[in-house]
Structures are given as C-alpha cells and as structure tokens.
Amino acid sequence: MAANTSKTLRNQMMYQVFVRNFSEEGTFSAVKDKLERIKALGTDVIWFMPIHPIGSEQRKGSLGSPYAIRDYRAVNPEFGTLDDFRELVDAIHGLGMKCIIDVVYNHTSPDSVLKSEHSEWFYHRPDGSFGNRVGDWSDIIDLDYSNRGLWEYQTETLKFWAEIVDGFRCDVAPLIPLEFWQYARAEVEKVRPGCLWLSESVEPQFILHMRGRGLTALSDSEIFQAFDMSYDYDCYGDFTSYIRGEAPLSEYAEAINRQEYIYPDNYVKLRFLENHDQARARFLIPDAGALKSWTTFMFFQKGMALVYNGQEYGASHLPSLFDKDTIEMKPNGVDLSDYIAKLAEIKKSAVFTDSVYSVKAVGSNTLAASHTSGDKVIAGVFPLNGESGFVSVPLDDGFYTNLIDGNRVEVFRGGVQCLGEPMILQ
C-alpha cells in the first residue's frame, strides 16, 4: 500500500460522471448546475471520465470512446474550454468536494498528438506497424514504457493537471509498469501533496491472460504499492456469479474475507455495484427491495463507495461510450437519493475507518457483516431477497439502534429477527 494512504478514505463516497451523457447539453457547465444535487447525495469525490479530445481515426460510433484520447493536455471542445473546467472544479471545491479525472496512459487514439510527435514511444508489431496488445480495442494504439522519455512526458502531464484537480483514476493501470506509477506518484506529490490515486485494477482472469502472453499485468498487491485504492474486481466475478445463480453466496463472502489478510492493513477498495464498463445494478437486480439491500451492503463494506451517475434513480440502461446517450435522471421505479445520503452519513462513523471486517452468508440469500474496532462493533444484516428469519450477529444481548431508520432492535441469544429489510446496528 502507498505509505501515506489514509484509512479515512474508507469513510467516503465517490460519484462518477460521464460529461457527455450526464445531461442533454453534455457540457462542464451543465454538470456545474447540478453540483448541489450531487453534494446532497453525500458525495466526497467526483470522478470525471476522460475529459480530453477524442481521436477521429478508427473512431467507434458517432462520437468515439473517451478512452481513445487524442491530446492528454487539452479538453474535449464538446464539453467546453479549459477555463470552463477550471470553473467547474472551483465550484466542486467550493462545496467541500474533491475532483479526480481519468488518466488513460496505456494507449492513445491512432491520430494522437503524441504519435505525431513521438512515434518511437509506441508499441510496434513485428512488421513495424502500430497496434495494441489486447487486440479487440481497435480504436487505440498502445504506448511503450520502455522509453524513459515517455515517463517524463506523462509525468509532466500529470503535474499539469494536479495543479487543478485532486487526483487521478488510472485506466487499466495494471498494464503499465509499477515503477512508472511509483515514479509518477512521487513527482506529483511535489505539486499536489495528498493527491488521490485510484487504480482500475483488472479481473483475475485478465491478469492471467496477459501474463500468459508475457505481458505486464499487475496484481492488486503490486498496485497497492503505488495507489491508494483499487477496484473490487478481485471479487466482482463472485458477486455476478451469485446474481446469475451460478455460485452460492458463500463464495462471494469468502472472496471478500480473503481481502482482509492478503492486502496491507491500510488497503482501500472502491466498492461498486456498477460502473461504465459493467451492467447497471438495476439491470442485474431488478427487484427494488434486493437493490436496496445490495446498496446498503455496498456502503457497509470496508472501502470507498462508488455511485455511477443515474444509479441513485435505478437507471437500468448502460449508456453508450461511443454515442450520445443521455442518462435519464428520473426515478425508474426507485429513488434511492435520500437513502444513499443516509448511508453516506452512516459511513462517516469512525468504526468504518479502522476495523477488522468480516462477512458471512446466512442461508442462501442473506449476508451478515461486521466491523470491529477495539471494543466497538457495528453489525449489518442484508437480506437479498426479502427473507425473514433469525440471523446471528457479533453483538451482546440487548437493544441496539438500527442506524438506517432509528428504530430499536433487540439482540437475543446472539441474534436478531430479520424482517426482510437491511439493518445496520450499533
């Protein structure tokens, strides 16, 4: 783990914004107009998907993927100007939130500024042509970090943006040498002390695939040497396997518990039910009650909680990365806005900051979890299909407060009577 990573990141919530599809206007100014609503959700950090100009060559769709970047040091004119972005970040800071931007350093668009200026900094196939190592990303070409000049250019770019924003979400960071990230972090720290670093770590199967081809693919344990946070992909497959009825809930619980002893003491996971690469939570979990329980569990977990724009309204359609596809910001059978704000408030409890975390499956469809910090314990019960029943919790017999609704709940003979609704007891 990065030596200066703060455990207080575990008390926070991140909100993900794709500027193009955030509003009909698709501009920085339109986001600025909605900052009060985003703040009201309990947001601590806003993450902007790439804000840079998009390449034209081999573009996918009508507008292209924001991850096929043409110029790292400019902003997409469709979104506004650099001054517009600075004003947006100032407004975010004015509301007490932080801002991070996407860093896409594994590759660029085929017509990028970097390619025209430094073609020698790119990966070349045996025949000398440009390409990418993964194969199915047809709208990008890979960079080659064996070139020290590339390190200097990329780091100077990070330092430029670190004068404006508070941190970076780094796309497919495991495909880039760890030594680069360590160097870049140390250099950026000189400009932005306490800069926040989030790695899009990758699925275990992808790591094995890349390593099998002799390519760089960092594990989460390696990533934690340079980053403050990593994705939850090491157990996301277990989550979706349960949702699809392909594996028992106990396997998901066991995968979460492993994180407690294989990662450093101050590890921070970005906990999510959805993001721009995965199916919407409401699509995977159409039942409103189950979605509520899963959302509660996500916030209860050790780590920072992520909400993708539209998730608070139960949006079930995953917006396109390649075309204009405005997110519908109205309730889709559920409106979790106030509920998420309550969970974000609960997450501020010091018990979540520094604890021993444990999760267990109770029966086939209920999770029970707890955080223990010294003599303090906070316990959660999460029925995932509305089941009622007795659930054991690590609390002494007596009465406790359900922090979600303020009601008193009795613990008797080591357990509680679950009535089909999630509980967080303290």
Side-chain angles (χ1 to χ4, degrees), residues 168-233:
F168 305 102
R169 178 266 185 189
C170 300
D171 188 64
V172 289
L175 304 190
I176 297 167
L178 176 62
E179 294 77 14
F180 167 77
W181 292 123
Q182 291 172 320
Y183 170 76
R185 181 179 180 121
E187 288 296 306
V188 169
E189 190 70 12
K190 300 172 184 177
V191 175
R192 175 72 67 172
C195 182
L196 178 62
W197 293 82
L198 165 63
S199 165
E200 183 205 16
S201 46
V202 296
E203 297 90 339
Q205 297 84 352
F206 189 60
I207 293 174
L208 295 176
H209 169 71
M210 296 296 283
R211 287 180 174 178
R213 297 173 56 199
L215 301 171
T216 298
L218 303 175
S219 67
D220 279 24
S221 295
E222 291 170 298
I223 281 293
F224 276 139
Q225 295 176 51
F227 286 82
D228 298 303
M229 296 190 291
S230 76
Y231 269 41
D232 209 10
Y233 277 147

Side-chain angles (χ1 to χ4, degrees), residues 7-200:
K7 294 180 180 179
T8 59
L9 293 173
R10 297 169 176 167
N11 297 102
Q12 298 182 19
M13 172 188 138
M14 181 179 291
Y15 189 83
Q16 179 184 358
V17 171
F18 183 10
V19 175
R20 175 195 294 164
N21 289 332
F22 177 83
S23 64
E24 286 294 338
E25 298 87 350
T27 62
F28 295 133
S29 295
V31 178
K32 183 180 174 183
D33 291 341
K34 301 296 183 182
L35 288 180
E36 294 279 359
R37 188 190 68 79
I38 294 173
K39 173 66 176 179
L41 289 170
T43 302
D44 300 285
V45 182
I46 296 179
W47 154 29
F48 287 106
M49 291 166 61
I51 61 169
H52 309 297
I54 296 169
S56 298
E57 189 175 332
Q58 296 178 223
R59 174 178 285 188
K60 291 183 177 180
S62 59
L63 296 175
S65 168
Y67 292 91
I69 292 172
R70 184 170 55 80
D71 186 354
Y72 290 126
R73 298 183 177 183
V75 299
N76 188 336
E78 298 171 18
F79 298 166
T81 66
L82 180 57
D83 284 341
D84 291 334
F85 182 66
R86 289 180 185 272
E87 289 180 10
L88 172 57
V89 176
D90 286 344
I92 290 169
H93 290 161
L95 289 172
M97 296 182 287
K98 291 186 176 182
C99 168
I100 68 173
I101 59 171
D102 237 307
V103 169
V104 188
Y105 270 11
N106 178 67
H107 49 260
T108 74
S109 70
D111 54 350
S112 67
V113 169
L114 212 53
K115 180 194 171 187
S116 66
E117 295 180 351
H118 290 284
S119 61
E120 73 278 12
W121 290 352
F122 284 79
Y123 161 75
H124 294 271
R125 299 188 183 101
D127 65 2
S129 62
F130 295 92
N132 69 80
R133 300 171 183 88
V134 174
D136 62 346
W137 298 343
S138 61
D139 57 342
I140 57 92
I141 53 175
D142 281 0
L143 289 158
D144 181 357
Y145 280 82
S146 66
N147 296 282
R148 189 70 187 192
L150 176 60
W151 287 37
E152 301 296 336
Y153 181 93
Q154 299 291 63
T155 302
E156 286 303 311
T157 302
L158 288 169
K159 290 166 76 172
F160 166 77
W161 289 109
E163 294 277 4
I164 303 171
V165 301
D166 304 288
F168 305 102
R169 178 266 185 189
C170 300
D171 188 64
V172 289
L175 304 190
I176 297 167
L178 176 62
E179 294 77 14
F180 167 77
W181 292 123
Q182 291 172 320
Y183 170 76
R185 181 179 180 121
E187 288 296 306
V188 169
E189 190 70 12
K190 300 172 184 177
V191 175
R192 175 72 67 172
C195 182
L196 178 62
W197 293 82
L198 165 63
S199 165
E200 183 205 16

